[in-house]
Amino acid sequence: MKTRAVRLYGVDDIRLDTFELPEIKDDEILVKVVSDSICMSTWKTVKQGEKHKRVPNDVFDNPIIIGHEFAGDIVKVGKKWQDKFKPGQKFAQQPAIPGQMESPGYSYQWCGGDTEYCIFPNDIIEAGCLWTFDGDAYFASSVAEPVSCCIGGYHTNYHTEPGGYKHIMGTKEGGNLIILGGCGPMGLGAISYGLTFENKPKRIVVTEVNDDRIARAREVISEEEAKEHGVELIYVNTAKMEDQVKELMDLTDGKGYDDVFVYIPNKAVCEIGNQIMAYDGCMNLFAGPTDPKFSADVNLYDCHYSRSKIIGSTGGTIDDMKEAIDKNSAGLINSAVMITHVGGLDSVVETTKDLPNVPGGKKLVYTHIDMPMTAIEDFGKLGETDPFFQELDAVCKANKGLWSAQAEKMLLEHFNAA
């Protein structure tokens, strides 16, 4: 069957192609992709091309489909998997395949998210990285992958018992937690998760250097909402602080932060994070640096005497992703806080190439429609001349300006893509 897909050929070379998919093998599954969200990791992949560790060396001759945050419908199931999967079921997938470097959106000719249809090979299915779900929205499963990364960060941190060596996995229950550079899409996902998970902190401090981003974050996740969950949420603009370390420490009455998440790969921010840790604190370099020699000064005296720890986390597990989907469906987290733009498959090439310069949060793609990548906040302006966008704007505004299952359904029906 024919499909349209955005494929990688080399450095800065991605193209929207139409081509024929092969017939599936007995151990493969054909799916219809409905939604994909564009990840900064894909932009990094496009900048590196075949030099990227996950990209095949022969990518120019055998281009791969980009995009790894996707969900949709199962269309056809090979004989091997017919007792587990059925056509018509909704699917979600985890691109980080245990035990292998190959990954959807990076490594496969026929498997990726920025396409109308794709084929899941046996190795992905065998690893348990494809499963079905019953949610009412595709986008929630698309952004479940980045949310799972946030969840993975919370699970990766650890602390120790006083007087012993036992590692207690996870962020500290009832502790002080800070997210440095936390008003972007990933930071908002981390805040949303932090308000309701099992060992939630008593206080979450979120830093940013832009008042507009803080205002937007406060609009979608307010201090009042956090208080309802028993968490004190504090947004601060560190650009306005004379002494960032002292003023951030003062927010904890001088105790410091049990868990520090660094959401931007910046040397100065990493050093501040290192200085504000509490005794037995754990700092997680969550943001992935592009410079392989990226480093910062750290206090090894505190590492020795105050049991401070520095770790990094990347990606989430299958369980993390399933937790993201289940908790979003249960209303315990709101994945939509990450999404600020919506577009069609024809917008992917330009948006991906220019991703660092496109303001806002996650860019959500519906692969069976053609539509420029459009900010949700611009729907109202489009609605002045287009009744559909006027109605879509009203639906989003009724939901704190956020995307929703209702908005998704309207969009797919409008473009005859449901």
Side-chain angles (χ1 to χ4, degrees):
M1 65 179 300
K2 285 190 180 296
T3 189
R4 290 192 307 162
V6 177
R7 299 197 289 183
L8 173 73
Y9 289 81
V11 176
D12 284 327
D13 189 357
I14 51 175
R15 313 172 195 174
L16 177 57
D17 296 329
T18 300
F19 57 93
E20 194 82 21
L21 281 175
E23 183 64 31
I24 65 167
K25 301 174 185 175
D26 287 346
D27 60 358
E28 296 179 332
I29 293 177
L30 173 69
V31 300
K32 173 185 176 182
V33 177
V34 176
S35 64
D36 179 61
S37 58
I38 302 177
C39 181
M40 187 61 75
S41 295
T42 298
W43 175 80
K44 294 175 184 177
T45 302
V46 172
K47 300 306 289 185
Q48 291 179 287
E50 64 274 13
K51 295 177 183 178
H52 193 284
K53 288 185 178 181
R54 297 185 187 274
V55 175
N57 292 330
D58 64 348
V59 69
F60 181 79
D61 296 316
N62 297 292
I64 58 94
I65 300 173
I66 65 169
H68 57 273
E69 299 176 356
F70 61 102
D73 299 315
I74 292 174
V75 175
K76 187 176 181 180
V77 181
K79 291 180 181 179
K80 178 177 178 178
W81 299 106
Q82 288 178 359
D83 61 337
K84 187 173 181 181
F85 298 96
K86 304 295 180 186
Q89 292 177 314
K90 292 178 181 177
F91 78 85
Q93 55 83 39
Q94 165 61 271
I97 315 301
Q100 69 178 52
M101 186 63 70
E102 292 79 17
S103 178
Y106 299 89
S107 315
Y108 294 98
Q109 274 188 280
W110 317 124
C111 189
D114 288 319
T115 182
E116 295 171 330
Y117 296 90
C118 78
I119 297 171
F120 275 93
N122 183 66
D123 56 340
I124 295 176
I125 310 169
E126 283 276 11
C129 292
L130 176 72
W131 64 91
T132 61
F133 72 98
D134 297 318
D136 60 351
Y138 295 97
F139 80 86
S141 291
S142 281
V143 295
E145 196 280 333
V147 173
S148 80
C149 298
C150 301
I151 293 174
Y154 275 86
H155 291 168
T156 301
N157 275 29
Y158 73 98
H159 299 276
T160 56
E161 291 182 341
Y165 304 106
K166 182 180 178 181
H167 288 187
I168 304 169
M169 296 307 299
T171 53
K172 187 171 182 178
E173 184 175 0
N176 291 305
L177 184 148
I178 189 167
I179 306 172
L180 298 171
C183 287
M186 298 300 286
L188 292 176
I191 299 167
S192 182
Y193 179 74
L195 299 184
T196 61
F197 81 118
E198 290 73 16
N199 54 324
K200 62 187 177 186
K202 68 178 180 183
R203 178 182 293 117
I204 297 178
V205 175
V206 183
T207 75
E208 183 53 71
V209 295
N210 182 293
D211 282 338
D212 290 338
R213 286 164 71 91
I214 291 176
R216 176 57 180 159
R218 182 174 280 127
E219 181 182 0
V220 297
I221 308 177
S222 68
E223 293 91 339
E224 291 75 18
E225 178 185 348
K227 189 175 181 180
E228 291 174 1
H229 293 291
V231 178
E232 181 185 10
L233 176 61
I234 303 172
Y235 293 104
V236 293
N237 187 333
T238 51
K240 297 180 178 180
M241 291 181 171
E242 292 185 10
D243 186 334
Q244 293 186 28
V245 171
K246 180 182 183 304
E247 293 180 51
L248 290 173
M249 289 290 288
D250 286 346
L251 295 174
T252 67
D253 297 322
K255 180 182 181 297
Y257 294 87
D258 303 288
D259 295 282
V260 177
F261 286 101
V262 181
Y263 266 57
I264 51 173
N266 177 279
K267 181 177 184 291
V269 174
C270 290
E271 291 173 353
I272 288 171
N274 181 245
Q275 294 175 59
I276 59 177
M277 280 193 286
Y279 181 85
D280 192 39
C282 186
M283 185 176 96
N284 187 323
L285 179 60
F286 182 89
T290 55
D291 180 2
K293 295 183 178 180
F294 179 77
S295 60
D297 292 333
V298 297
N299 189 322
L300 296 178
Y301 180 92
D302 283 348
C303 181
H304 182 83
Y305 287 105
S306 297
R307 305 179 82 165
S308 63
K309 297 164 282 292
I310 300 175
I311 62 173
S313 66
T314 178
T317 66
I318 296 171
D319 287 341
D320 293 333
M321 191 163 173
K322 289 181 177 180
E323 181 181 354
I325 294 172
D326 291 344
K327 287 192 171 180
N328 186 80
S329 296
L332 293 174
I333 58 175
N334 188 355
S335 302
V337 298
M338 308 179 88
I339 300 166
T340 58
H341 292 66
V342 178
L345 188 61
D346 60 326
S347 72
V348 170
V349 171
E350 180 181 358
T351 303
T352 303
K353 283 187 172 183
D354 197 38
L355 195 58
N357 302 314
V358 183
K362 276 286 180 183
K363 282 69 185 176
L364 179 65
V365 177
Y366 287 97
T367 63
H368 287 261
I369 72 173
D370 284 341
M371 171 181 163
M373 187 57 65
T374 307
I376 295 173
E377 65 181 11
D378 290 341
F379 288 169
K381 185 174 180 60
L382 294 174
E384 294 174 3
T385 55
D386 188 329
F388 168 71
F389 280 103
Q390 183 180 34
E391 186 178 355
L392 191 61
D393 180 58
V395 168
C396 292
K397 282 182 176 174
N399 188 39
K400 298 181 180 179
L402 298 175
W403 197 241
S404 65
Q406 182 182 359
E408 176 181 271
K409 183 179 179 181
M410 287 177 59
L411 186 78
L412 294 176
E413 289 179 349
H414 178 75
F415 284 97
N416 298 313

